Amino acid sequence: MKAAILCVGLLLAAGACKKTGGGGGGGGGGGGWLVGSDGMMLNVDTDGAASGYDTASKESLNGIACRYSGEAWVVGTHGTLLYTDDAGATWRPQSVPTTADLRALATQDYGPVFVAGNGVFLTSTDTGAHWRQLGDGTANFRSLAAAQDGETVLAVSDDGGLWSYENNQLIKRGSFAGARAVAVSPDGQTALLVGDGTIAKSTDAGRTWSPLSSTELVRYDDVRVDANGQAVAVGAGGAIAHIAVDGKVLMQHVGAADLHTIHIAEVGDDYQSVGFAAGDGGHVWITRDGGWSWSEGPNAGHTVLGVDEIGDGHR
């Protein structure tokens, strides 16, 4: 496994979400957009060149979701919500009706924006100008997924609860011990649920689930499903699980640090695409073949908690 290590220093001066230099000359861009602890935001291109952004915040940034060619939202602690509509050239805060920690979010190309966290589940149909609260005040949501080209929206709460957004309502569908993350395919039909030693798959938009077996018991923190129904999950100790359409699980490891987030862009139907996985110690890994091989990218300098791609590579 090749490793090309590039150290990047983030310049976090006071200001309003401006690019701080390196790789790309002053505007927003594609590639991986990583967020994490202490207000960290980093744009890494497919060659591994990185640019830090000054978010003027020390809040933990827990997730990012992108839409269309230039939109993205970032959620964080104490009701933090950041928004860009110029591919990341500038970011600005959006108001939400809560100061709770926001931990997960998802978008649909032709549907609402969803933001969730401790006791809250918010939806907006006007690009974040107004928000509707659907949470019950007690369920603490840690993961959220929405189909780009379908209607399926699923969420996972800290108690292992699986929730579905249907007809403008939030419905609890069941509980899965140790569940930590959920993902859905672009059409919404295939869904993967992962967690503490747990992998489960649904082929009917999350209505029924089948457990999958693996040679290793791993605590998984994130998962991604492509248009063909293949999935890749990441977790503790650099674990990466490749989950085939037939449910077979193939394991590999990159480094030793825990991985908390993964995103692989969809390119055609051949599963040959660029992606990013990252986590503890700021370690970032880049794949150019859909997750089968990885090279080490820039170190983000902080724990990475979320990644997505602005542009055609978004979820």
Side-chain angles (χ1 to χ4, degrees):
M1 184 172 299
K2 58 185 178 178
I5 302 175
L6 170 66
C7 293
V8 176
L10 298 183
L11 306 178
L12 295 177
C17 304
K18 299 291 186 179
K19 197 169 195 177
T20 61
W33 284 78
L34 294 83
V35 297
S37 61
D38 296 319
M40 186 277 293
M41 181 184 290
L42 190 69
N43 179 208
V44 180
D45 70 21
T46 56
D47 293 323
S51 300
Y53 278 71
D54 176 14
T55 60
S57 172
K58 290 295 183 181
E59 299 289 353
S60 177
L61 303 180
N62 296 320
I64 178 171
C66 305
R67 186 173 73 171
Y68 305 137
S69 62
E71 281 190 302
W73 285 261
V74 170
V75 294
T77 50
H78 299 106
T80 297
L81 182 64
L82 303 177
Y83 172 72
T84 181
D85 59 4
D86 55 12
T90 58
W91 295 80
R92 60 181 182 271
Q94 283 191 335
S95 296
V96 287
T98 183
T99 58
D101 290 350
L102 302 177
R103 303 165 60 192
L105 73 168
T107 63
Q108 291 178 307
D109 280 353
Y110 303 101
V113 179
F114 304 91
V115 169
N118 291 347
V120 296
F121 188 103
L122 305 171
T123 67
S124 175
T125 58
D126 56 9
T127 318
H130 303 88
W131 295 90
R132 182 184 178 205
Q133 160 72 306
L134 297 179
D136 61 7
T138 60
N140 296 326
F141 295 96
R142 60 173 301 116
S143 181
L144 181 56
Q148 289 294 335
D149 303 318
E151 297 182 354
T152 307
V153 180
L154 301 175
V156 172
S157 52
D158 279 344
D159 61 358
L162 178 70
W163 304 72
S164 176
Y165 172 82
E166 302 173 25
N167 300 317
N168 296 315
Q169 297 181 15
L170 191 60
I171 303 168
K172 189 172 184 179
R173 290 301 183 190
S175 294
F176 293 79
R180 298 176 65 85
V182 65
V184 298
S185 59
D187 66 3
Q189 288 305 299
T190 302
L192 266 291
L193 187 72
V194 299
D196 287 319
T198 297
I199 305 176
K201 182 176 182 179
S202 171
T203 56
D204 56 7
R207 293 176 181 85
T208 61
W209 295 83
S210 299
L212 304 182
S213 61
S214 172
T215 57
E216 299 180 31
L217 290 178
V218 173
R219 187 197 70 232
Y220 296 101
D221 268 351
D222 199 11
V223 61
R224 185 263 181 200
V225 188
D226 74 4
N228 299 319
Q230 300 178 99
V232 184
V234 296
I240 297 179
H242 299 267
I243 305 163
V245 174
D246 63 4
K248 294 180 180 178
V249 180
L250 177 65
M251 298 298 303
Q252 72 175 132
H253 289 261
V254 293
D258 292 354
L259 299 174
H260 301 305
T261 183
I262 185 172
H263 174 68
I264 301 176
E266 199 81 54
V267 177
D269 296 322
D270 60 358
Y271 202 56
Q272 301 299 308
S273 47
V274 174
F276 303 85
D280 283 356
H283 293 286
V284 178
W285 296 87
I286 303 173
T287 180
R288 297 171 180 85
D289 58 7
W292 293 105
S293 63
W294 298 83
S295 59
E296 190 161 11
N299 191 288
H302 298 272
T303 299
V304 182
L305 300 172
V307 61
D308 201 351
E309 295 188 47
I310 293 179
D312 291 339
H314 69 267
R315 294 183 190 269

